[in-house]
Amino acid sequence: MCESEHDFQLDQAIGMHVNRTAFLMTEEIARRFASKGYPLSAQDFGILFRLSQQGSMTQVEIAAAMMRDKTTITRRIDGLVRKQLVERSPDPVDRRYFRIALTCQGTCALKVLISLASGFQQELLNDVSEADKSTTIKTLKHISDQLISCKMTGENR
């Protein structure tokens, strides 16, 4: 074994903590959404929120914005259509695509969901200083920007 293998400590790996935290947060927010009558995932919430901010989007645009594959996004949107939170309509410019938009019901649901998500975040972070929050966000953004850059260039470091 190389000496560096002995130096690696899984409990000190940022990725492990990010993944664990993300899993726990998405599980808990989905539970809270469901408790208020909205059986939705964090990913569903992300789609609804993006649509509220950007207006109608194609499924391809949603997949790119959320960094998910088209098949996963299609399944999520199918579920949101069944729940009458979004609607599909043919793209007026390119009939090969559908535009996805919030319904009135989706807009109303989003108000409740945003309040739940905001309250959940405040609850989790109420004893974390603004400086620590800022540093964490800055660090995670830096790491994700590096990963996106590597992905775009196909570079292995």
Side-chain angles (χ1 to χ4, degrees):
M1 267 197 229
C2 297
E3 183 144 343
S4 65
E5 290 179 28
H6 292 291
D7 295 338
F8 179 77
Q9 298 294 319
L10 185 60
D11 64 342
Q12 295 300 310
I14 289 175
M16 196 246 346
H17 289 284
V18 168
N19 187 49
R20 181 173 185 249
T21 302
F23 174 78
L24 292 168
M25 287 180 75
T26 56
E27 190 177 66
E28 178 59 18
I29 198 65
R31 187 192 67 71
R32 290 180 185 214
F33 289 163
S35 76
K36 296 296 182 189
Y38 296 99
L40 300 170
S41 69
Q43 200 170 44
D44 294 334
F45 172 72
I47 292 169
L48 296 174
F49 189 81
R50 285 190 187 277
L51 290 171
S52 76
Q53 299 296 298
Q54 296 178 281
S56 72
M57 300 170 71
T58 67
Q59 291 178 198
V60 172
E61 291 169 336
I62 294 169
M66 297 195 62
M67 295 205 265
R68 297 286 190 256
D69 63 88
K70 290 181 248 180
T71 305
T72 299
I73 292 301
T74 298
R75 279 195 309 269
R76 302 267 32 118
I77 291 170
D78 288 345
L80 293 171
V81 167
R82 279 191 301 276
K83 293 172 183 169
Q84 300 178 343
L85 300 175
V86 301
E87 60 190 359
R88 281 188 178 99
S89 57
D91 188 299
V93 177
D94 190 339
R95 295 287 184 178
R96 294 174 296 173
Y97 296 100
F98 287 97
R99 301 221 45 98
I100 311 303
L102 285 174
T103 62
C104 289
Q105 191 172 336
T107 300
C108 290
L110 194 55
K111 289 177 185 173
V112 173
L113 299 172
I114 288 171
S115 177
L116 287 169
S118 177
F120 176 52
Q121 184 166 313
Q122 287 174 359
E123 181 183 321
L124 283 178
L125 301 173
N126 69 354
D127 61 350
V128 177
S129 73
E130 289 301 318
D132 284 349
K133 287 180 214 174
S134 178
T135 299
T136 301
I137 291 169
K138 182 179 174 183
T139 301
L140 291 173
K141 184 173 179 351
H142 174 77
I143 292 168
S144 65
D145 287 349
Q146 282 190 296
L147 290 167
I148 291 167
S149 177
C150 287
K151 185 177 182 177
M152 300 291 220
T153 62
E155 183 182 320
N156 278 337
R157 292 185 179 201

